[in-house]
Amino acid sequence: MKKLYAGLIGAALAGSIAGATPAIAAPTALEVQARFVSATCQGGDFANVKLTAQSRGGSGTVQYRWDFTNNGSFDSPANPNPNIQHAYGDELTVTARVGARDAGGAQVTDTITFSTPRCG
């Protein structure tokens, strides 16, 4: 009987200790998604295009950079604001790329392809 009683107490203590310890969630990886917002004709043959990015995961403040032509070279400086505007020619299909970097140094990119309207 003593062995049974000691076994039950040990199981109860182990269960309460396990239940009292909060689970530590693994950090989530940084993700980014580029999004087309709008394109407005600016007179002549140009459209003002608004782009944005949404990120999740990672650590700390995220900085964004944009490559307006997806040629491998970022055209804008790093900025915590994910919104940007750029003038493109009208009647084009363009792929732009956004790069995101978090405070821990994780980096990811995403691209968005869109068409500009006919202007002028």
Side-chain angles (χ1 to χ4, degrees), residues 42-75:
Q42 295 298 303
D45 296 326
F46 294 95
N48 183 31
V49 174
K50 293 181 183 179
L51 303 170
T52 191
Q54 184 176 17
S55 64
R56 66 177 180 203
S59 62
T61 302
V62 175
Q63 299 279 325
Y64 303 91
R65 297 185 305 165
W66 289 91
D67 175 356
F68 298 121
T69 57
N70 194 31
N71 66 359
S73 177
F74 287 107
D75 302 304

Side-chain angles (χ1 to χ4, degrees), residues 27-100:
T28 57
L30 177 63
E31 298 176 19
V32 68
Q33 182 179 29
R35 295 185 178 179
F36 172 84
V37 177
S38 66
T40 307
C41 290
Q42 295 298 303
D45 296 326
F46 294 95
N48 183 31
V49 174
K50 293 181 183 179
L51 303 170
T52 191
Q54 184 176 17
S55 64
R56 66 177 180 203
S59 62
T61 302
V62 175
Q63 299 279 325
Y64 303 91
R65 297 185 305 165
W66 289 91
D67 175 356
F68 298 121
T69 57
N70 194 31
N71 66 359
S73 177
F74 287 107
D75 302 304
S76 70
N79 190 324
N81 182 353
N83 304 310
I84 198 147
Q85 296 182 42
H86 184 71
Y88 288 96
D90 70 340
E91 299 184 88
L92 295 176
T93 298
V94 179
T95 299
R97 180 173 61 117
V98 65

Side-chain angles (χ1 to χ4, degrees), residues 17-28:
I17 290 171
T21 304
I24 299 173
T28 57

